[in-house]
């Protein structure tokens, strides 16, 4: 009998798999195992997709695999099928898709065994030294002692490094004195699980609908903020666990808060595995393996966890399903929301998509009868919806973007003992810097964009490419010394608030203030224990957090989304406004929302405020239908970029012509056009849009088109990528 041929997905940008002969010595072969194979001049780790009897390459020219890394398949048939579906649907090179499925350690070829994590802890002597203020002359050792003293379960070296920089030498010194030692990490103590509050009728109906589903069913759980959606998830998950199955919970990137994990741990009688980008490779591997073996009953994670293995899948929950972070925006551009539904369908299990502000795509799927609509229209436990007020900014004197009425409301709520949350989706001090004498504007040398002033760091930063430079002292054009920040960012509002409300703790929560591991937790602790009573933040504050003492939410600038060229901007604006407003009055205290705008009469804003999100979304859907835009049409975007402006357009012209010759009637080819920000990070960018009302027509064209794109003249002069179902154009 001749040995079978291994069909292997190899990490490479090529749109194909590669065949290999098995090595001399190998365990029983099966799809889903990893193999080391020669590829070009390197040895790489690939995934066996199939065992074939023959190959298009003559047997004597096939290369031989070096070794088989797993004795049993690492990826089961369900995951292999999901990846195959995704590679086909998103028209992405299979090798990169399969690599996405594996945690980094397994991608490098590590054994599929839990890594022994070690944490550093204070010894008894260490605690004594800490209390005695030792060591007095070694500030770095002292800082480490304090950190570890504040972490009863200890901290691993990776985490210490992100908190405190290079920690090797001070740790060694502390260990030599017998003040610190390593130990195996303690799993968070299993908390006694309590059953949760009695459900409201609408919640109970939703839980019953989900738990009585047999086989595949998709639910859109639309519930106003604070209506108890999470409570519904918890009950459905508990039922899944009771039936001996696992649940997969997907949350947006910034939704995975410590409070959420605590809530899940307190309620579910099972170990939780957690997957997100902030973990060390070892932690990721262990969580992945715990889900795969079934030892963790619940896996909770961000976008890429949709590909995590599950021994006994029983339920998929995706919270804040409208959130753009579920769409991967570079490389393999998949939608975790759509894949969650595909995965649930293949596994024959229910999937719950939850949101206070569902995406129009999901509402359309309800209209088409593909999703069942479950609604929670009231806040849980009798909490009242917030009262909303629009503050007309026209002809108002503004202090750093804050109007007198808003400042007065803030003062009143603080005096009444409440907390106040202000939202501004712009980090930094000011989004532009200009010269008062000559009008010079600080622009990014590599992008068509202005530099943002960061006053704390005394630097100018480009938020598009990351380039930065020192804050100039004088105008480079005229030498003028009066350089002014134009507009407001969170840093500037923070300073203004501190000036207006001295003595009230202000917390700023954005990507700058939370960069260090643990920083966000520290700020949130301060909010919860009342040290910070004024909060200013970006998107990061809009979602998921439960701040029971917040009674006023202020939206500093509601006009950002009203006049954008992107047809999705109004949908996003409405979702963000509703989510932010939802932070107000979530517990016993009634909440208010104050929205600053220069366009108080804007019809979209009016409709949202007076008719609410469901009616607003219905009107937007009608507009999309009229304009034949998604979700009433399906799109794919071909992007290209190069060092010159001409090359991307030339390549896309050729691609458009090719689509014209291949294309069936029914697929529109729009463009090419320069990207909305034509130059970014020194590269010129352009794009070509394909659109069809019938998805299969578009898919059929893409399949033939993508294979031919690489051979087009000009393809080698550009970097190109395809985005199926793009969410930002
Ligand atoms: P959502 O996920 O929709 O924002 P949550 O599930 O977080 O809502 O619920 C909001 C608050 O109301 C939480 O503090 C939660 O414990 C509480 N809650 C939810 N359901 C109930 C209920 N049936 N009875 C009492 N309190 C509830
Ligand atoms: Zn000047
Ligand atoms: Zn830039």
């Amino acid at each position: 009998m001749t040995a079978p041929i291994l069909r292997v997905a190899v990490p490479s940008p090529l749109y194909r798999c590669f065949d290999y002969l098995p090595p001399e010595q190998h365990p029983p072969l099966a799809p889903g195992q990893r193999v080391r194979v020669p590829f070009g001049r390197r040895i790489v780790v690939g995934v066996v997709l199939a065992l074939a009897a023959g190959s298009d390459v003559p047997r004597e020219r096939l290369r031989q695999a070096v070794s088989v890394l797993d004795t049993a398949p690492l990826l089961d048939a369900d995951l292999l099928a999901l990846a195959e579906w995704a590679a086909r649907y998103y028209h992405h090179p299979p090798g990169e898709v399969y690599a996405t499925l594996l945690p980094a350690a397994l991608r490098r070829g590590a054994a599929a065994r839990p890594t022994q994590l070690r944490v550093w802890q204070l010894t008894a002597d260490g605690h004594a030294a800490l209390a005695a203020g030792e060591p007095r002359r070694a500030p770095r050792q002292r800082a480490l002692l304090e950190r570890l003293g504040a972490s009863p379960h200890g901290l691993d070296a990776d985490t210490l490094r992100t908190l405190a920089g290079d920690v090797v030498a001070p740790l060694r010194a502390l260990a030599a004195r017998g003040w610190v030692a390593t130990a195996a990490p303690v799993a968070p103590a299993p908390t006694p699980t309590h059953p949760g509050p009695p459900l409201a009728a609408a919640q109970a109906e939703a839980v019953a609908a989900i738990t009585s589903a047999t086989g595949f069913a998709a639910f859109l759980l639309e519930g106003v903020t604070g209506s108890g959606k999470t409570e519904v998830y918890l009950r459905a998950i508990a039922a899944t666990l009771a039936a001996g199955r696992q649940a997969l919970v997907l949350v947006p990137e910034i939704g995975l808060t410590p409070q959420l994990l605590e809530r899940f741990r307190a309620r579910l009688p099972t170990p939780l595995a957690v997957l997100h980008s902030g973990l060390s490779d070892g932690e990721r591997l262990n969580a992945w393996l715990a889900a795969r073996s079934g030892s963790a009953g619940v896996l909770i994670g961000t976008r890429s966890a949709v590909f995590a293995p599950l021994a006994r899948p029983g339920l998929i929950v995706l919270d804040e399903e409208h959130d753009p972070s579920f769409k991967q925006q570079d490389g393999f551009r998949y939608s975790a929301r759509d894949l969650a539904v595909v995965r649930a369908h293949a596994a024959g299990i229910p999937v719950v998509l939850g949101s206070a502000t569902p995406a129009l795509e999901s509402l359309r799927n309800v209209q088409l009868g593909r999703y069942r609509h479950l609604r929670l229209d009231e806040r849980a436990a009798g909490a009242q919806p917030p009262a909303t007020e629009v503050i007309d900014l026209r002809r108002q004197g503004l202090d750093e973007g804050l109007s007198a009425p808003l400042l007065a409301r803030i003062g009143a709520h603080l005096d009444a003992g409440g907390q106040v949350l202000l939202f501004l989706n712009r980090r930094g001090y000011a989004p532009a810097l200009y010269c008062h004498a000559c009008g010079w504007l600080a622009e990014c040398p590599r992008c068509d964009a202005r530099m943002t002033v960061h006053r704390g760091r005394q630097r100018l930063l480009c938020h598009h490419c990351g380039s930065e430079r020192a804050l100039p002292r004088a105008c480079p054009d005229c030498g003028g010394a009066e350089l002014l920040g134009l507009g407001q960012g969170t840093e500037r509002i923070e300073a203004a608030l501190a000036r207006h409300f001295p003595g009230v703790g202000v917390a700023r929560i954005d990507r700058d203030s939370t960069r260090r591991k643990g920083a966000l937790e520290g700020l949130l602790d301060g909010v919860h224990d009342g040290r910070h009573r004024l909060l200013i933040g970006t998107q990061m504050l809009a979602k998921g957090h439960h701040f029971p003492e917040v009674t006023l939410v202020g939206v500093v600038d509601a006009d950002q989304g009203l006049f954008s060229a992107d047809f999705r901007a109004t949908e996003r604006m409405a979702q963000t406004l509703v989510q932010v407003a939802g932070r107000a009055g979530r517990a016993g205290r009634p909440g208010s929302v104050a929205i600053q705008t220069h366009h108080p009469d804007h019809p979209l804003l009016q409709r949202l405020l007076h008719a609410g999100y469901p009616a607003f979304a219905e009107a937007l859907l009608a507009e999309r239908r009229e304009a034949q835009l998604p979700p009433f049409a399906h799109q794919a975007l071909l992007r290209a970029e190069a060092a010159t402006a001409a090359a991307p357009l030339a390549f896309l012209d050729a691609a458009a012509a090719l689509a014209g010759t291949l294309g069936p009637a029914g697929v529109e080819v729009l463009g090419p056009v320069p990207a909305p920000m034509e130059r970014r990070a020194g590269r010129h960018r352009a794009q070509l849009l394909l659109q069809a009302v019938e998805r299969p027509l578009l898919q059929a064209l893409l399949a033939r088109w993508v294979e031919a794109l690489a051979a087009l003249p000009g393809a080698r002069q550009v970097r190109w990528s395809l985005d199926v179902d793009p969410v930002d154009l």
Side-chain angles (χ1 to χ4, degrees), residues 444-451 461-467 677 679-682:
C444 175
R446 309 173 67 219
C447 306
D448 296 331
R450 290 167 187 170
M451 306 282 278
L461 250 66
C462 173
H463 285 186
H464 304 282
C465 72
S467 44
M677 183 184 296
R679 206 169 52 98
R680 179 166 177 172

Side-chain angles (χ1 to χ4, degrees), residues 33 55 196 215 274 399 428 467 497 499 519 522 526 567 620 635 657 702 707:
Q33 281 166 324
S55 169
V274 183
D399 182 4
S467 44
L497 291 173
R499 185 159 44 75
F567 71 87
L620 273 191
Q635 298 183 329
L702 290 178
E707 310 224 319

Side-chain angles (χ1 to χ4, degrees), residues 122 124-146 174 177 179:
L122 292 195
D125 285 356
H127 280 289
L130 176 65
E134 297 279 338
R136 283 177 215 289
R137 273 188 210 92
R140 291 174 38 86
Q141 292 179 35
R142 175 69 200 167
L144 275 181
L145 270 195
E146 286 172 0
L174 289 171
R177 296 169 115 150
W179 290 351

